[in-house]
Every structure is written in structure tokens, then in C-alpha cells.
Amino acid sequence: MTSTATKPRGARARAAIAAKTLRTDRWWFAPLITVVGLSAWVAYATVRVFMHKWYWVDQYHYLTPFYSPCVTDRCVEGSSHFGSFLPGWWIIPDAALTLPFLLLFRLTCYYYRKAYYRSFWLSPPACAVPDGHKSYSGETRFPLLGQNLHRYFFYAAAIISLINTWDAVLAFHSPQGFGFGLGNIVLLVNVVMLWAYTISCHSCRHIIGGRLKHFSAHPVRYRAWTFVSKLNTRHMQLAWITLGTLAFTDFYVMAIAAGWFNDLRFIN
Ligand code: FES
């Protein structure tokens, strides 16, 4: 390694290091696995959203979260819990009211920002590894300035989690009345994980415990903030777990709807 003093920039000079990075560990592995994981998920979700079939199991009232709520006039009978008022054009997702907000919620999420800034934009790909770009403007200009809207997408995501919860409740159905099967467990686990991810959001933590001068004067908010803070330390894991539960729930509902296998029923 050779190292010489650079021309001072501002008040301080920095060492010029010829090597791109001095790291010898597998620093590239995390960005690589992030690119592979996120690309695979986006490809699967895109295919499913525009497939326009196998999203509803009429017998048990299972609705995949990728089509919830189903609001186009193409939605099959029984799957529209909130009306079907949009035209059923191929390019319009059947859950056109919710998917854009969910996409924006995840795109502006503090964890995902770190993930795709590092892996897709190489900005920078890892600590002590040079940025892939010559200039850096942070999130001070359009379009990245829009990342500040994350707190508002949090409210939308919370409402959508309520809708997903309602879907999971409606799914306790069978042709005989009340029913319970493996599909219910899949839907419930997905909803619990979605709530865990949503309330572990940094904006949620601030909404619950921010701007308070004295926690002692707000014991309920303090307890809620403590709970959310614990979840918040697992935000990255929850971000990935919910990608998994969403895709698995959708696949399970698709498989039952397509008749690839039958739902395992415990009651009715
Ligand atoms: S910070 Fe990730 S969802 Fe809000």
C-alpha cells in the first residue's frame, strides 16, 4: 500500500490510498444477497399482481394480500369486501387502492433505504468501501427528498394492516359456517408479522414517544414506546420476514385457488 498526502480540501488533508478498499472480508456478500432477494421478490410480486387470477378461495373466503381489497369490476364474486368501483383493465392491479401505498411505505422505509442505497446504487456498498458515484447529495433534492413522506405512508400502511386483519377474520368460513384450516394459520401469521413490521417502524416510534418532555407524565405512551422500541431493534429482520410471509401467503392461496392441493382443514 502506498499512501501520500492529498491536496488539502477545506481545512483538512486526507491520505490518498491507491487501493479501492483495504477490506479483505466478504463485504460484497450482503449487498449481493440483498439484490438477489429483493429482485426475486419484486419479480414474483409483479407476476402475481398482473396475473389477475387464483387470488380468492370462495369455499373458505381466503383472499391473498396481493389482491386486498379487490376493487376492480373484474374481481370474482365474493372477493370484493369494499366494493368494485375501478375498471378491470389489465394494467390496473385489482388492489390498486392499496398496492401503491404499500410500495411507497416500503420504498421509503429507513431499513429498505439503507438496503437499496447500498446494494443497487452502491452508495456506498459497505463501510470503508468507496461510493459508486462521484457526487453525493443525500436526500436533500428531488426525488429523494420525497423520502421524508415516509411518516404519512405509515398511516396508510396501518390502515391497510387493518384491512388485512379483516380479511383474516372473514376467512374463518366454511360452506357449513365457521371453519378453520391451515390457510387460516397462514393468513394469521402473515397479519401478525405485518403488524409487527408496521409498528416497529421508526416513524411509529416517533409518533408514539416523540415530542414528549417527561415520560413520567405519560406512562401509557412510555409503555407503548418501550414495546415499539424493542420491536424497532428487529426492524430489518421483520422487513425480510414479512416479504417471506407475504409471498408464502399469496402462494398458498394461489395453490388452493388453482386446485394444486387442498387446504388442510381442522374444523369444517
Ligand atoms: S422505518 Fe421501516 S417501515 Fe418505517
Side-chain angles (χ1 to χ4, degrees), residues 105 109-111 150 197-198 201-203 235:
F105 181 54
C109 162
Y110 291 22
Y111 164 67
H150 181 67
Y197 169 70
T198 305
C201 167
H202 293 67
S203 294
H235 194 58

Side-chain angles (χ1 to χ4, degrees), residues 15-35:
I17 299 173
K20 278 198 166 177
T21 179
L22 299 180
R23 286 184 65 166
T24 55
D25 62 330
R26 294 192 304 161
W27 58 264
W28 44 267
F29 185 72
L32 176 67
I33 206 79
T34 304
V35 167

